[in-house]
Amino acid sequence: MKQQNIKEAEPKPVRNDSLKEAMDQLRNDPTKENNIVVLNEVVSARLLAPVSMDREPELDPKTGEVILDKDTEIRFEIITNNKGELYYPVFTDGAELKKCSEEPDQRVLIVNFADLAAMIAAQNNQISGFVINPRGDNMVFPAEMIAKMSEEMMREDKEKEK
């Protein structure tokens, strides 16, 4: 996972144009084929996850990389739906993140599907899944679906190794 600050200039901003297009297509034409395209895009996407930290990270002046102290406590933001279920919010790009964050120095990590699946699995059913762009597209990925997708990905990886 990589960290970004949304106020800093980003040489390579996180954008998921093909994922956003696939989500729009699915919303307009909810077919099985369009659903599969969205799932494939989510698996390959790099998403922004808002976090808070108990201490400020340092920036390596030579590489420009963020360095976290090994004891840094990172807490991922969690949102609740109207049923009281907890979800990790993730965002396709900085503009979507800004719709939900009023903090001027919001910290974010760049995560992928595997990161999110592992985080949710580690929570022993306390986290119900993740939501992409909760104040925009609001696409929910329940924990059960994430687990099935992860199992399928592992099965495919094992078949490729043979």
Side-chain angles (χ1 to χ4, degrees), residues 23-154:
M23 290 189 303
D24 286 341
Q25 184 65 30
L26 179 61
R27 187 173 298 103
N28 295 331
D29 185 17
T31 63
K32 182 178 179 178
E33 293 79 16
N34 286 337
N35 192 51
I36 291 169
V37 171
V38 167
L39 296 177
N40 287 331
E41 289 293 334
V42 167
V43 167
S44 63
R46 295 171 55 234
L47 300 163
L48 301 175
V51 298
S52 59
M53 298 178 196
D54 66 343
R55 62 189 76 174
E56 286 296 312
E58 296 180 29
L59 188 64
D60 184 324
K62 293 180 183 177
T63 64
E65 291 181 356
V66 174
I67 301 170
L68 297 176
D69 185 63
K70 71 176 185 166
D71 296 327
T72 301
E73 183 178 316
I74 300 172
R75 289 174 302 284
F76 285 80
E77 188 173 309
I78 297 173
I79 58 175
T80 307
N81 69 6
N82 57 2
K83 296 178 184 176
E85 298 167 326
L86 305 176
Y87 290 87
Y88 291 121
V90 292
F91 302 88
T92 54
D93 53 64
E96 289 293 335
L97 174 66
K98 288 178 184 179
K99 290 179 183 178
C100 285
S101 177
E102 296 179 13
E103 293 182 42
D105 289 329
Q106 174 69 61
R107 298 277 181 203
V108 297
L109 292 180
I110 299 172
V111 296
N112 60 32
F113 178 82
D115 296 331
L116 291 164
M119 289 166 45
I120 291 165
Q123 294 298 321
N124 297 323
N125 298 321
Q126 293 179 7
I127 302 294
S128 298
F130 66 87
V131 180
I132 299 175
N133 300 339
R135 294 257 172 112
D137 301 304
N138 196 40
M139 184 159 283
V140 178
F141 285 78
E144 184 177 298
M145 176 194 295
I146 295 164
K148 287 180 183 176
M149 289 172 65
S150 295
E151 289 172 15
E152 182 64 28
M153 290 168 57
M154 286 191 298

